[in-house]
Amino acid sequence: MKLMILDGNSVINRAFFGVKPLTTREGLCTNAVYGFLNILERMEKEEQPEAVCVAFDLHGPTFRHLKYDGYKATRHAMPQELAQQMPVMKDVLRAMNIPIYECQGWEADDVIGTVGKICGNNDWDCVIVTGDRDSLQLIDDHVRVKLVISRPGQTTATLYDEEKFREEYGFEPKKLIDLKALMGDSSDNIPGVAGVGPKTAAELLQKFGSLDGVYANLEDASIRPKLREKLESGRDNAYLSFDLATIRPQAPIDFEPRDAIIQPYNRPELYRLFQKLEFVRLIDKYGLRGAEREVLRPEKRLSALPRAEALPETASCCAVYAAPDGSLGVAWEGGVCALTPMEARMGLTLPSDKLICHDMKSAMHTLDEMGIAFGEFIFDTALAAYDLNPSQSDYPVSKLATNFLGATVEDGDPAGCAEALWNLRPILREELEKQGMGKLYDEIELPLCPVLYRMEREGIAIDKNQLLQFGQMLSQRIDECEKLIYGYSGEPFNINSTRQLGELLFDRLGLPPVKKTKTGYSTNADVLEKLKDKHPIVPAVMDYRMLTKLKSTYADGLMKVIGADGRIRTTFQNLVTATGRLSSTEPNLQNIPVRTDLGAEIRKMFVPKSGCVLVDADYSQIELRVLAHIAEDRDMQEAFRSGMDIHTVTASQVFGVAPESVTPLQRRHAKAVNFGIVYGISEFSLAEDIGVSRYEAREYIDSYLANYRGVKAYMKRVVEEARERGYTETLFGRRRYIPELKSSNFNIRQGAERIALNTPIQGTAADLIKLAMIRVDKALRERFPEAKLLLQVHDELIVECPENIGPQVAELVSREMEQVASLNVPLTAEAKIGKSWYDAK
């Protein structure tokens, strides 16, 4: 029989730092609990124990603290975000019927050692799961240690038995105590012998066998005089450290191995906790669907609808849900009905023109593909959930039903999901109004969905022959680049291999290493940029990477997604970004290169259909204009109102010269500062970006803020308000919750402050372009129905229209974009016309 015991404090601590911050809608941190459960699940699969338990430390001094005042005195306090998860973690373990062992005055290590000893006495095997090497001293015939190391996105676990330990350390596991007695332990503030490090301590033990053996042989000729002196003066500390480092397997706990044999979960309680923690996926993984029926939930907000065999002829409103298998669920005030895929596709008529759905844009595509006519969508539950908490990774119906209704539905159940949508609408509407986002939802988010649907359906034409020729040209240049690189290297190698390239650059060619990782030399873009003047092979490698990226992502990638009609159709993601911006996928048409001449060539291949032109309108410096408005900075506002170039104005102020005397380099530096401020740039990052010292970068930022005092006040005010409220918001009421602002970790807190600073700016700009899309689409359909809005790329809109109305369409698009909102600075959008995307820019 095998028992697995987890070192609770060690595992949850590693989980906390190994999993990105996660919070519930109510602000409860959950990443440590989530990470702990993932580690537990993995360890159970790997070890297959018959029994599982967990040991935790209790707050308060132990016998080690009483023996030595300095014991663990250098440890930082547990982060508040982790501390709040400790009682929750224990509640989850209790609901899983996993015993918890802890003992006042004793450490979890001693409890673990005691459990291991009792297991051995009962002829049970014991595996200890921990991130602390102290437990390695407990290894014996019955006890092994699984050492867990967690890093962001990766957890590794190494199993140590006596053989593995000897292979790594060169002596038996028990001698780990002697090793710590000599070298000390900074994490526990165990002093050891001053001046004796791990290597020396290990050599002494391998030669003399133990701490006693070392001190019995101080006169041995192999011990250097200075080392002998250190050992003699550090004798007392060595034996004190030996005592402190020894795990004592005599903790007074009531434990029998059979007490920890794996038991069924307390399903209702675990379900309740997972609901509270919003662990919807774990509810499914742990098989807890249906457990809510075992819980008395008077707060459940679900109106059960009777099941119907057929749809009614008419209804004032209905909820529609298309399941992944093609079946359809329809709910209305009087009932709910499920239709098979065949029934759904056989000339179905929905009972109402007013529809509730989940992810409207996708629902419109699905119903269109099924041949089902649809009317007006009046509510989208996924969109509402996204607005309420844009930092979530996804918004399945099952998750919303759990969080808002206290109900369980399967995402593949059409009737259950349709019923959930019907019940979710009033609750989500109430939440939107409560958080002041009703207008944002009604006037921006919901009306945008049909616009995006039409854009996705329309697509944009591409010149296939030109794209093919472009790919062939890239292949030729890649071959030439390879030959050049091999000429410099003296032999062929895998240019795409970071290891092989690093060995060539830094070992064989002797270039100065810029950055090393745990797997070797870094050869990323930043490293190569710093080395490009050191050897001609470096710019050749940079060219090779650029060419192969263009070839694989664009020349080859775009060729694969051209439709039968010669058009490419992207998917606009409107439920993804935390700032409210749209993103583009499959393929990503928002990421077409523009900075290099060769990359910009790709835009020449995007063309209008025969007889048409493309109209491209782009907001000018929209984020800076939003900043000027939100920050109420009079100087910046005046610069925009006067029509002057904002970067020239900023350069004039930062460098103390007349606007007409600003050099191109000064303008570029001012531009970097302007946009850097929007993103909360640090002096270090600015220095890196523009190639100046950190001192100069700091001067630029200080000078900028001295001139734009409104911006300086805004930067302070917005962070303070976000910290106080727990969220920041755009001009249109879009909220983003930032619980990390209260993190005890400086780096996390600093990153959160940057988010608080730039989200109102980026988010407002996102809201403005969305409003512009709605207005432009509406105006085109009313005045020029033959013109179609095709693409949105950040602050840019692309329209296709007949050539003879190009100027009128360009004027309309520009006007609608500029009049979308009334700010204290003008919004400007210049529209151009061309026979390709490139020509229209």
Side-chain angles (χ1 to χ4, degrees):
M1 300 283 278
K2 183 197 293 185
L3 177 139
M4 183 173 78
I5 181 167
L6 282 78
D7 183 345
N9 290 76
S10 173
V11 172
I12 198 169
N13 190 66
R14 277 149 184 80
F16 176 74
F17 289 104
V19 177
K20 68 177 183 179
L22 300 172
T23 57
T24 65
R25 288 180 298 123
E26 296 177 353
L28 173 65
C29 294
T30 60
N31 61 323
V33 178
Y34 186 81
F36 188 105
L37 291 172
N38 283 340
I39 292 172
L40 172 61
E41 180 193 21
R42 175 178 166 183
M43 295 302 103
E44 285 185 321
K45 284 181 179 177
E46 292 180 4
E47 291 300 321
Q48 296 290 311
E50 283 79 22
V52 176
C53 59
V54 182
F56 282 102
D57 287 315
L58 287 175
H59 186 69
T62 66
F63 59 85
R64 293 182 180 85
H65 295 90
L66 298 176
K67 189 176 188 68
Y68 175 51
D69 287 344
Y71 183 64
K72 293 189 176 181
T74 56
R75 286 204 175 178
H76 296 296
M78 181 182 291
Q80 182 184 353
E81 300 88 345
L82 174 56
Q84 70 173 225
Q85 296 182 68
M86 292 296 288
V88 180
M89 184 73 254
K90 292 180 182 180
D91 286 343
V92 169
L93 290 171
R94 292 186 189 101
M96 296 173 74
N97 282 319
I98 294 177
I100 295 171
Y101 294 98
E102 44 200 6
C103 188
Q104 194 68 56
W106 296 70
E107 293 186 53
D109 283 349
D110 302 308
V111 173
I112 290 168
T114 305
V115 167
K117 182 178 180 181
I118 294 173
C119 282
N121 291 341
N122 285 271
D123 204 28
W124 277 57
D125 289 329
C126 177
V127 60
I128 299 165
V129 176
T130 182
D132 190 345
R133 287 181 175 267
D134 289 350
S135 293
L136 294 175
Q137 65 181 269
L138 298 171
I139 294 172
D140 60 22
D141 291 342
H142 284 282
V143 176
R144 295 172 301 153
V145 173
K146 196 109 175 191
L147 198 64
V148 176
I149 307 295
S150 273
R151 301 182 183 89
Q154 181 183 20
T155 297
T156 59
T158 305
L159 185 65
Y160 283 84
D161 56 13
E162 190 162 354
E163 181 181 354
K164 171 70 175 174
F165 183 91
R166 283 183 178 276
E167 179 187 322
E168 186 167 317
Y169 285 87
F171 44 79
E172 64 178 305
K174 197 72 176 174
K175 298 304 180 187
L176 182 64
I177 306 170
D178 304 70
L179 182 72
K180 288 207 168 193
L182 290 167
M183 64 180 252
D185 184 344
S186 59
S187 67
D188 288 342
N189 201 33
I190 294 176
V193 176
V196 174
K199 184 178 179 183
T200 301
E203 289 172 351
L204 288 170
L205 286 179
Q206 287 163 6
K207 185 171 182 64
F208 300 113
S210 66
L211 182 65
D212 288 341
V214 171
Y215 280 101
N217 291 278
L218 279 184
E219 300 306 318
D220 190 283
S222 66
I223 298 180
R224 302 180 305 278
K226 285 189 176 179
L227 176 58
R228 183 180 298 113
E229 185 180 333
K230 292 175 183 176
L231 290 167
E232 285 177 339
S233 62
R235 183 190 296 261
D236 289 344
N237 272 348
Y239 279 97
L240 169 65
S241 299
F242 184 94
D243 198 30
L244 294 172
T246 301
I247 293 176
R248 287 169 170 73
Q250 297 96 29
I253 58 172
D254 183 13
F255 168 77
E256 290 291 335
R258 292 189 175 278
D259 295 341
I261 287 177
I262 294 173
Q263 301 292 325
Y265 304 144
N266 180 339
R267 285 167 44 81
E269 180 61 15
L270 190 58
Y271 175 83
R272 184 189 68 79
L273 286 166
F274 280 3
Q275 274 194 312
K276 175 184 176 182
L277 297 169
E278 298 179 6
F279 289 168
V280 175
R281 294 195 183 281
L282 293 189
I283 287 175
D284 290 326
K285 182 181 283 189
Y286 282 65
L288 300 176
R289 291 294 175 191
E292 84 284 357
R293 289 190 290 272
E294 304 164 35
V295 189
L296 292 175
R297 293 187 56 83
E299 71 277 20
K300 184 185 290 189
R301 305 167 75 180
L302 180 65
S303 300
L305 298 173
R307 294 302 190 264
E309 295 297 323
L311 298 179
E313 290 187 8
T314 61
S316 59
C317 174
C318 68
V320 181
Y321 179 81
D325 66 355
S327 57
L328 200 69
V330 182
W332 60 99
E333 189 173 7
V336 60
C337 180
L339 303 167
T340 67
M342 183 176 292
E343 290 171 335
R345 291 178 179 272
M346 291 179 62
L348 177 68
T349 299
L350 294 173
S352 175
D353 286 337
K354 296 187 180 301
L355 306 175
I356 302 164
C357 69
H358 189 77
D359 187 358
M360 185 200 303
K361 180 166 63 67
S362 296
M364 294 174 85
H365 282 299
T366 299
L367 293 175
D368 193 29
E369 291 164 8
M370 288 180 167
I372 301 172
F374 52 86
E376 177 191 5
F377 286 88
I378 60 172
F379 201 82
D380 178 344
T381 53
L383 193 62
Y386 164 73
D387 283 344
L388 291 169
N389 192 352
S391 297
Q392 289 286 332
S393 57
D394 57 4
Y395 306 89
V397 176
S398 57
K399 189 173 188 176
L400 304 191
T402 297
N403 292 344
F404 291 98
L405 301 175
T408 298
V409 300
E410 301 284 350
D411 288 310
D413 173 11
C417 286
E419 182 179 25
L421 300 189
W422 182 265
N423 285 284
L424 281 166
R425 178 196 175 192
I427 295 169
L428 293 175
R429 165 56 70 184
E430 181 183 339
E431 286 292 320
L432 287 169
E433 298 297 339
K434 189 185 299 182
Q435 295 192 26
M437 284 190 282
K439 191 172 181 182
L440 169 81
Y441 183 83
D442 292 333
E443 297 183 6
I444 299 180
E445 299 288 64
L446 203 65
L448 181 68
C449 292
V451 177
L452 296 175
Y453 159 71
R454 287 189 286 271
M455 291 168 65
E456 290 179 355
R457 194 175 58 177
E458 197 68 33
I460 185 169
I462 194 163
D463 188 327
K464 191 171 183 179
N465 290 332
Q466 195 175 350
L467 184 62
L468 184 62
Q469 292 171 14
F470 182 68
Q472 291 169 345
M473 179 273 292
L474 289 174
S475 294
Q476 182 179 342
R477 290 190 55 173
I478 290 168
D479 290 342
E480 293 168 355
C481 215
E482 276 186 350
K483 290 173 185 175
L484 183 62
I485 292 169
Y486 294 154
Y488 288 129
S489 67
E491 61 182 6
F493 68 100
N494 184 356
I495 304 171
N496 296 312
S497 166
T498 298
R499 182 182 62 79
Q500 292 185 34
L501 180 59
E503 289 172 354
L504 169 67
L505 296 179
F506 306 114
D507 292 338
R508 289 174 46 201
L509 298 181
L511 299 184
V514 177
K515 181 181 178 183
K516 287 200 77 170
T517 67
K518 295 189 177 180
T519 56
Y521 297 109
S522 172
T523 62
N524 65 22
D526 290 339
V527 168
L528 296 185
E529 182 66 32
K530 291 173 182 175
L531 295 173
K532 66 181 180 182
D533 297 326
K534 304 289 186 184
H535 194 287
I537 196 173
V538 178
V541 170
M542 294 170 72
D543 284 345
Y544 173 85
R545 286 185 174 177
M546 181 266 293
L547 292 166
T548 53
K549 170 73 173 176
L550 289 174
K551 176 79 165 57
S552 63
T553 304
Y554 301 108
D556 297 341
L558 292 177
M559 189 68 72
K560 294 175 183 175
V561 294
I562 299 175
D565 58 355
R567 299 176 82 84
I568 286 178
R569 291 168 174 85
T570 187
T571 298
F572 291 101
Q573 302 288 354
N574 61 331
L575 303 172
V576 173
T577 67
T579 59
R581 273 194 174 275
L582 297 171
S583 63
S584 163
T585 58
E586 298 177 343
N588 183 354
L589 296 184
Q590 293 186 338
N591 206 28
I592 303 294
V594 292
R595 294 182 183 275
T596 63
D597 290 340
L598 195 58
E601 287 285 307
I602 298 168
R603 294 197 173 203
K604 291 182 178 178
M605 295 152 211
F606 288 90
V607 295
K609 62 186 177 184
S610 178
C612 290
V613 291
L614 294 181
V615 173
D616 187 312
D618 196 350
Y619 275 124
S620 172
Q621 300 158 343
I622 188 170
E623 290 187 347
L624 290 178
R625 293 171 189 268
V626 169
L627 173 61
H629 175 87
I630 291 180
E632 299 177 350
D633 192 294
R634 293 181 181 178
D635 290 335
M636 188 177 283
Q637 290 178 3
E638 180 55 36
F640 280 120
R641 281 195 289 263
S642 69
M644 293 183 66
D645 174 62
I646 188 64
H647 303 314
T648 299
V649 173
T650 299
S652 171
Q653 295 174 342
V654 169
F655 297 107
V657 298
E660 60 271 16
S661 301
V662 169
T663 67
L665 179 62
Q666 288 173 329
R667 184 185 182 278
R668 283 199 300 273
H669 285 184
K671 183 177 181 179
V673 177
N674 270 329
F675 287 111
I677 290 294
V678 172
Y679 290 93
I681 199 168
S682 67
E683 62 191 60
F684 176 80
S685 297
L686 180 61
E688 289 276 301
D689 288 350
I690 62 178
V692 299
S693 69
R694 290 183 65 178
Y695 174 77
E696 288 178 282
R698 181 71 260 167
E699 280 198 321
Y700 291 169
I701 293 173
D702 288 344
S703 179
Y704 176 97
L705 295 176
N707 283 283
Y708 292 130
R709 295 181 182 179
V711 173
K712 183 178 182 179
Y714 161 77
M715 292 173 68
K716 181 181 179 182
R717 181 180 73 249
V718 72
V719 172
E720 289 177 349
E721 288 177 352
R723 186 178 289 112
E724 182 181 336
R725 298 185 299 186
Y727 65 87
T728 189
E729 62 184 357
T730 71
L731 284 179
F732 296 90
R734 183 186 303 279
R735 288 187 184 182
R736 180 175 181 179
Y737 289 86
I738 318 174
E740 295 84 1
L741 282 169
K742 295 183 179 179
S743 173
S744 57
N745 182 296
F746 174 77
N747 290 331
I748 293 175
R749 191 169 64 251
Q750 194 174 53
E753 290 174 358
R754 285 195 293 272
I755 290 172
L757 173 65
N758 65 48
T759 293
I761 303 165
Q762 292 181 45
T764 297
D767 293 339
L768 287 169
I769 193 69
K770 286 180 173 180
L771 276 170
M773 294 170 71
I774 295 166
R775 287 184 58 131
V776 167
D777 176 78
K778 182 174 185 291
L780 289 176
R781 286 188 298 120
E782 288 176 353
R783 291 194 53 198
F784 303 107
E786 61 271 51
K788 307 292 182 185
L789 179 60
L790 304 184
L791 289 180
Q792 179 265 345
V793 180
H794 306 308
D795 307 323
E796 174 185 359
L797 297 182
I798 297 104
V799 173
E800 181 181 70
C801 69
E803 188 169 2
N804 64 319
I805 59 170
Q808 297 99 302
V809 169
E811 191 275 331
L812 178 148
V813 174
S814 177
R815 183 182 67 250
E816 294 297 332
M817 291 177 70
E818 291 179 346
Q819 295 179 0
V820 76
S822 178
L823 303 183
N824 291 329
V825 294
L827 289 174
T828 61
E830 184 180 3
K832 295 181 180 178
I833 303 169
K835 277 292 189 177
S836 72
W837 188 0
Y838 181 92
D839 294 334
K841 276 298 287 177

